[in-house]
Amino acid sequence: TQLLEQSPQFLSIQEGENLTVYCNSSSVFSSLQWYRQEPGEGPVLLVTVVTGGEVKKLKRLTFQFGDARKDSSLHITAAQPGDTGLYLCAGERNTGRRALTFGSGTRLQVQP
Amino acid sequence: GAGVSQTPSNKVTEKGKYVELRCDPISGHTALYWYRQSLGQGPEFLIYFQGTGAADDSGLPNDRFFAVRPEGSVSTLKIQRTERGDSAVYLCASSLRGTYTDEQFFGPGTRLTVL
């Protein structure tokens, strides 16, 4: 059983469309991070959210942390082919462990 | 500056063989992490080092897996008696202090294939 469930698993859209990726859990996380991973590369951090209800914007990307700190979303406005990749959410639980718990990922394909 | 490097980038071995995977973290980073990523999945935590010591090895699947970081820099993940189910991409990450929300920087991974 995956502690962090991501949806959708796959998404293929046209350039210029908007999309939202969801990351849900029944557990509380002290922080949640979003990464993007390209083929043959390691994940690269996009953002960290730590406060329930927090919203962060990074150019065309908007990240939200749920009030109860159990879920998060990533919204991309006017997607571009360069946004193509695997998007991973990862949480850090308030158990003293530094290890990240990753979701299974959302594979995004943006067609030109 | 140099990021996290991992060698080899690809490793093909036969069932039952022993393999070593190497990670060179970013210089000055005290924390080092190993993760395993199976096809179509997110990374799964294996072990975390703070300096030379393993601060958390709860993710190691069984006693065939072992990791060391003798001088607090380079780390080696060792897998004995490899099985086909060990095939995956093994990712290494490092962070400056290993504190809460300290950013982990990932290497490109080693793709291990056990035939």
Side-chain angles (χ1 to χ4, degrees), chain A residues 8 21 35 44 49 67-68 78 100:
Chain A
V21 176
Y35 291 80
V44 175
V49 285
D67 290 341
L100 293 172

Side-chain angles (χ1 to χ4, degrees), chain B residues 12 51 77 90 111:
Chain B
V12 181
L77 179 65
Y90 288 80
R111 181 175 296 278

Side-chain angles (χ1 to χ4, degrees), chain A residues 2 9 30-31 33 35 37 40-45 48 50 86 88 92 97-105 107, chain B residues 33 35 37 40-45 48 50 56 58-59 91 98-109 111:
Chain A
Q2 201 81 25
Q9 286 185 292
S30 55
S31 71
Q33 302 174 358
Y35 291 80
Q37 186 177 22
E41 304 283 334
V44 175
L45 181 67
T48 299
V50 298
L86 178 67
L88 294 158
E92 189 168 14
R97 296 181 72 223
R98 295 279 75 84
L100 293 172
T101 300
F102 280 86
S104 56
R107 189 163 297 281
Chain B
Y33 312 77
Y35 294 86
Q37 187 172 23
Q41 299 294 318
E44 176 189 23
F45 169 74
Y48 153 58
Q50 184 62 262
D56 183 352
S58 62
L91 293 166
T99 52
Y100 173 59
T101 73
D102 201 18
E103 181 176 354
Q104 295 184 26
F105 295 85
F106 284 81
R111 181 175 296 278

Side-chain angles (χ1 to χ4, degrees), chain B residues 7-72:
Chain B
T7 54
S9 55
N10 280 285
K11 176 71 178 179
V12 181
T13 191
E14 293 179 342
K15 180 175 178 292
K17 299 289 189 182
Y18 168 82
V19 296
E20 289 189 353
L21 311 179
R22 176 186 167 110
C23 172
D24 278 85
I26 293 172
S27 178
H29 280 196
T30 63
L32 185 146
Y33 312 77
W34 283 99
Y35 294 86
R36 177 169 72 174
Q37 187 172 23
S38 300
L39 193 63
Q41 299 294 318
E44 176 189 23
F45 169 74
L46 295 176
I47 186 169
Y48 153 58
F49 286 90
Q50 184 62 262
T52 60
D56 183 352
D57 65 357
S58 62
L60 294 177
N62 52 60
D63 61 6
R64 295 187 297 106
F65 289 75
F66 189 70
V68 294
R69 195 186 185 200
E71 297 178 358

